[in-house]
Structure formats: structure tokens, C-alpha cells
Amino acid sequence: MEEVWKLISKTRKTRMMQPTAEEIRLAANALRADELVAMPTETVYGLAGNAFSTEALTRIFSSKERPTFDPLIIHVPEAWNSLEELESNGLIDLETMNPLARERASKLIAAFWPGPLTLVLPKTSKVPDLATSGLQTVAIRMPAHPVAQKLLSEAGIPLAAPSANRFGRISPTSAQDVAAELGGRISWILDGGRCEIGLESTVLAVSNEGELQLLRPGRITAADIQKVTQAVTIPAEQITLAGPTGTAAASPGLLKSHYAPKKPLYILNSSVSSPGFKLDRKDFGLAPDTRIGILVMSGDSAQIKARLQPLLGEALEVRSLSRDGSFEKIARNLFAELRALDDSAAQVLFAEPCASEEGLGFAIADRLKRASSR
Ligand code: TXA
Ligand code: MG
């Protein structure tokens, strides 16, 4: 497939669109005609297509080279802000949810939508099996980005939108990142600037009995969810893989390797500024002139580079994720800086571990772990 895309992308033009009323109208028309448009959201850019159209869904899977066992998230307009709205618009089957499930899902919608929380709920037969990889549930999210919302309300249809990267690669947090991933494969990219959050939404399954399972950590944490529902979430690690063997896992986004740079990435044992910090080229079989790239959580890149050069030599790139170590900034910059290092002259990449796995730190650590897993 990659070979075919290479050939196609020699002639196909990808157009950057500005989020003016006129361009959004054009993009919405394209979506209604089952074409694809990459759109900004507050988390990462998504590759959007009509969620009710098998043709559009097929295009999404093929442009991303995404295996069909990995289901998609369906994005909805602001007006669909209740379980009843989701039901009347043909997405969910409310009948199968017991009162507790309805109560909890409703509270979560009221508290976090629009925003970076995806809810996995029982689906109707109107949602194509391709969107859900044959699962009886559908993942739904109401994005908060104003451009995504304008596009959704103008299109008037739910939009399936996985992150707009090739399968397994680093998620895009700018329109330029999307062009680097899918340029020549898709026709339109709507430029909405850099994504505010930078990590994909939290994915939470609400079972028909009202149990909550955290399938993917994100900006909205288990503690945030507990505060609103008074319910403890079951963490992803404890979820047994459901679905027919060899097909859909409980949440295929839990794949061990994901968000991966092209170059090998290792997580360091400690921060580069901790007293015991040690990184020996020999331990990794690296020659003195092999260029090393290091992603640090905080501080000034140039200063850290100057401090590390006596230890690691001249062949070194350092990129910092924040000035002050704030998890919000680290999350916002993580994918962009990882991508920059991947595109730099560095041949082998290292990343500092996240200082804490509490709150948003848990989501950051999760992405780093998967990015470094081969
Ligand atoms: O922030 C986001 O969620 C971004 C933006 C574009 O909205 N989208 C995104 O989509 O991250 P994607 O396709 O890269 O990730 C979708 C995740 C996958 O991990 C998938 O396994 C999970 O959602 N998922 C989708 N449908 C599911 C279902 N029915 N049951 C369990 N997990 C599901
Ligand atoms: Mg993705």
C-alpha cells in the first residue's frame, strides 16, 4: 500500500484551507460528499469523514494504512449534548443502558463536553461495523475546538476522525504535521493552528451496567471522572481483551507500540539533571560520532546541551518540552518535539522520564512508553 501511496502522491495535490466561513462551507460540502478533510481539534488533528458512510470510512483506513481492527472515534456537533440527542441522531442505543449507566454518562457529558473526553457507548445498527471494528459499542466525542465545531455544525453529520497520522506514527498537532504525514494522500487540510492540549482524548467505556473503564489516559484524569460520577474507574491494564480472537481488542488503541518515531527511542532512567545521571554511549553500542537526540522535560535546551556535552560529546541535539516542567506544556509540546527530533540529524533518541505519573503525568508517561516500544 505504501508503494501505491508513493505513486499517487506524486500527482495528488493537498490543499491547505484557512478556517474562513467560505472554506468551512466547502469543507463541509466535501464531507457530505464522502470526501475526507483533516481538521484541527483541541487534542490532535483528526482525519475526518462521514461516520455513516462506508465509503468515507474505507478512505480513512486506507489513507492512514490503518488496520480495520482499530475502531474510530465519532465526533459530534455541540447541539448533540445529551444521551437523547445521540440516540435521536442514530448513534447510540439507549435501551440497553441501565439507569446507573445513563446517569453516569449524562453527568460526564454535562461536565466534560465539549472537551477531550471520548465515551464508549452501545451503538445502533446505523453506525457501520467498519467504524467500530465489529464491536457493539461506539466511541463518541464532542471536540471543543471552534473550527471543528463550525465544521461539524455546517456539515450536520457525525464525523469519524482518527488522529491524522499514518498508523502507529506520531500524532499531528499542527496542519504542517498533517501535511508531513498525509500530504499527497488527502485533498484538504483545514488549518486551525497548533493544538492546545497536544495529547489525544481520554477514552472511557461506560458499560451497560454503568461500570467505567479507562481505556486511554488523557487530559481528563481518573480523578476528574471520579469527582463527577463518584465512581472509581477500572484502569486499562486490568481490561481483558474482548471480541473475537485476533480481531478487536477491548481498546485496540492500547497497542504496545504507538506514536513511534522512525528512529529508535529509549527512556532514560533518570532526569539529565539528577545527580546520579549516567548515559554511556557504549551501553547502547553507539560510536562517539553517532548523533544523539535527547528530549528533556524542562529547562533551556541550549543550556542543557552545553552542560551535557562534556559527558556525551559534540554529536548531540537537545530539545526541551517546557521552561518550567508544567505538565500542560509538556503535553502540548510532546509530539511536536518528538517529531522535530525524529526529523533532526540525531540518529538515536532518548527521552527523560516524566517526573510523576499522577494526573496528566500518567498520560504523558503512557505516550512515551508506547513511543519507545518496538
Ligand atoms: O483526541 C482524540 O481522540 C483524537 C482527535 C482527532 O479527536 N482522535 C483519536 O483517534 O485519537 P484515534 O483513532 O487515533 O484513536 C481512537 C481510539 C483508539 O485507541 C481506539 O482503540 C479507541 O479509540 N476506540 C474507538 N472505538 C472504540 C470502541 N468501540 N471501544 C473501545 N475503544 C475504542
Ligand atoms: Mg491515533
Side-chain angles (χ1 to χ4, degrees):
M1 196 61 207
E2 201 182 338
E3 207 178 329
V4 175
W5 278 123
K6 243 181 218 156
L7 201 66
I8 291 174
S9 58
K10 277 193 186 140
T11 49
R12 184 175 293 173
K13 285 266 182 301
T14 298
R15 197 173 135 229
M16 277 291 177
M17 303 175 92
Q18 292 309 309
T20 60
E22 177 57 12
E23 298 267 81
I24 286 175
R25 196 183 59 79
L26 288 175
N29 282 343
L31 287 164
R32 273 199 299 267
D34 297 342
E35 296 287 335
L36 307 186
V37 176
M39 68 170 179
T41 83
E42 72 279 26
T43 57
V44 301
Y45 273 72
L47 178 59
N50 181 356
F52 288 142
S53 155
T54 307
E55 194 182 328
L57 297 172
T58 303
R59 286 196 177 139
I60 291 177
F61 281 100
S62 103
S63 314
K64 276 181 61 96
E65 293 178 69
R66 179 177 176 122
T68 52
F69 63 71
D70 196 358
L72 307 175
I73 293 176
I74 296 183
H75 297 63
V76 298
E78 234 152 22
W80 301 10
N81 62 352
S82 67
L83 291 176
E84 291 70 27
E85 284 288 340
L86 297 176
E87 181 187 46
S88 68
N89 283 290
L91 288 178
I92 66 165
D93 175 13
L94 249 184
E95 290 294 288
T96 65
M97 294 173 73
N98 81 2
L100 184 65
R102 291 183 198 196
E103 183 197 315
R104 288 182 173 167
S106 298
K107 283 183 174 164
L108 290 164
I109 288 173
F112 299 117
W113 280 12
L117 177 69
T118 295
L119 293 176
V120 175
L121 299 168
K123 84 173 193 85
T124 63
S125 55
K126 194 178 172 193
V127 179
D129 282 335
L130 191 53
T132 67
S133 305
L135 293 170
Q136 289 312 302
T137 53
V138 56
I140 305 175
R141 146 165 152 75
M142 182 187 286
H145 197 293
V147 175
Q149 275 305 329
K150 277 188 201 137
L151 187 62
L152 279 158
S153 57
E154 180 88 35
I157 46 171
L159 297 176
S163 51
N165 49 279
R166 296 187 214 168
F167 182 68
R169 299 283 321 280
I170 304 171
S171 299
T173 53
S174 72
Q176 291 68 36
D177 292 352
V178 177
E181 288 287 324
L182 301 176
R185 296 185 181 205
I186 59 174
S187 301
W188 294 289
I189 301 172
L190 200 46
D191 187 352
R194 277 197 63 177
C195 301
E196 182 63 29
I197 294 177
L199 295 184
E200 301 84 350
S201 62
T202 303
V203 179
L204 185 77
V206 181
S207 79
N208 292 338
E209 291 71 44
E211 274 182 322
L212 305 180
Q213 304 184 325
L214 188 69
L215 300 180
R216 181 174 70 186
R219 173 68 166 266
I220 292 171
T221 65
D224 296 333
I225 291 163
Q226 191 174 348
K227 219 177 277 166
V228 166
T229 59
Q230 271 76 56
V232 178
T233 57
I234 304 168
E237 298 77 61
Q238 288 175 23
I239 294 163
T240 44
L241 300 186
T245 328
T247 60
S251 188
L254 300 174
L255 287 179
K256 224 175 136 237
S257 168
H258 210 145
Y259 319 111
K262 291 170 233 156
K263 296 164 184 169
L265 170 71
Y266 301 95
I267 313 266
L268 295 165
N269 288 325
S270 67
S271 149
V272 296
S273 22
S274 74
F277 173 69
K278 196 177 141 277
L279 174 58
D280 198 336
R281 284 177 175 268
K282 275 187 277 170
D283 293 345
F284 293 88
L286 305 178
D289 62 344
T290 302
R291 210 163 175 84
I292 291 177
I294 303 187
L295 200 60
V296 298
M297 293 288 147
S298 63
D300 178 79
S301 305
Q303 275 174 19
I304 295 172
K305 180 173 174 176
R307 223 176 52 225
L308 288 176
Q309 262 171 343
L311 180 72
L312 295 171
E314 293 294 310
L316 180 66
E317 311 267 343
V318 174
R319 299 197 73 110
S320 172
L321 293 174
S322 72
R323 285 258 161 197
D324 57 3
S326 109
F327 281 171
E328 275 75 25
K329 286 180 199 142
I330 292 171
R332 188 178 307 145
N333 295 325
L334 178 65
F335 287 145
E337 293 299 336
L338 195 54
R339 186 178 287 277
L341 264 189
D342 206 20
D343 293 339
S344 77
Q347 295 155 284
V348 180
L349 314 182
F350 293 89
E352 272 187 344
C354 191
S356 146
E357 295 203 5
E358 289 300 306
L360 185 52
F362 184 56
I364 296 167
D366 168 78
R367 302 306 192 278
L368 270 179
K369 226 172 278 165
R370 293 180 209 278
S372 66
S373 184
R374 309 230 132 210

